[in-house]
Amino acid sequence: MSAPAAPSAVRAAPVSRALLAAFGLATVVDLVSLLTGAEPGHQIAKPLLMPLLAAYAVSRGAPKLLVAALLCGWGGDVLLLSDADRAFLAGMGSFAVGHVCYLVLFGRRRASPALGVLYAAAFTGTVVLLWPDLPAGLRIPVAGYALLLTAMACRAGSLGLPAGLGGALFLLSDTLIATGVAAWPRPPASDFWIMLTYTAAQYLLTTGALRAMYGESRTNV
């Protein structure tokens, strides 16, 4: 039998539900816009995603590092709305800072050695395959970012299945982006799949981290 929620958590529940519903609505609008080619809908909805999720996390008493990671994701989201190379690099840098926040947040928790081997193989194989087709000026930045992202995804597994799945989906989402940078063939509606896996990843990392650190009372709303 679980302990009753603290009064502050009870008071915050309606706000948390509203913020989570708003995040879900913004996600649906963004994904539908991508599927239907409604670019204005995507331009409006995408920048709302991470602030809403961060606000939800704050309402559940999230640590500052988790909120910072989500806001770094927001910075990356906004920058990647532009097709300029400098915006891409700046967006990647913003996401990289977010991954550092996640890694510090996870502390000394360790994932299983088997998971580490699996992610190391995924990182090596992806970089080796993409390297020849990446623009010369992006090879080192992309490889460095991929290493940081892979470390985050691996360490996320130490917080349990939801966060671990979130880390894996984040890696999948950014791998799809990297294949586009390398001009590889991508699946139909690739932008839809990138955003679907990305928003699911950030949600699962958020709720998984809250549950691992505070228990059910901080994630049940």
Side-chain angles (χ1 to χ4, degrees), residues 131-179:
W131 187 271
D133 298 320
L134 290 171
L138 291 178
R139 287 173 179 170
I140 297 300
V142 167
Y145 174 80
L147 180 60
L148 194 57
L149 170 60
T150 303
M152 184 282 293
C154 182
R155 291 278 300 283
S158 66
L159 273 68
L161 182 59
L165 181 58
L169 288 174
F170 212 136
L171 183 61
L172 174 59
S173 178
D174 280 5
T175 300
L176 286 172
I177 294 175
T179 60

Side-chain angles (χ1 to χ4, degrees), residues 67-165:
V67 178
L70 293 172
L71 293 180
C72 286
W74 168 73
D77 289 344
V78 172
L79 287 163
L80 292 184
L81 286 172
S82 169
D83 293 329
D85 288 344
R86 289 185 178 180
F88 177 79
L89 285 171
M92 189 166 58
S94 186
F95 279 118
V97 174
H99 296 323
V100 172
C101 291
Y102 275 128
L103 286 168
V104 177
L105 175 67
F106 299 160
R108 296 184 178 181
R109 293 178 175 89
R110 294 184 178 180
S112 69
L115 192 62
V117 171
L118 180 62
Y119 273 112
F123 164 76
T124 303
T126 301
V127 171
V128 167
L129 290 172
L130 287 174
W131 187 271
D133 298 320
L134 290 171
L138 291 178
R139 287 173 179 170
I140 297 300
V142 167
Y145 174 80
L147 180 60
L148 194 57
L149 170 60
T150 303
M152 184 282 293
C154 182
R155 291 278 300 283
S158 66
L159 273 68
L161 182 59
L165 181 58

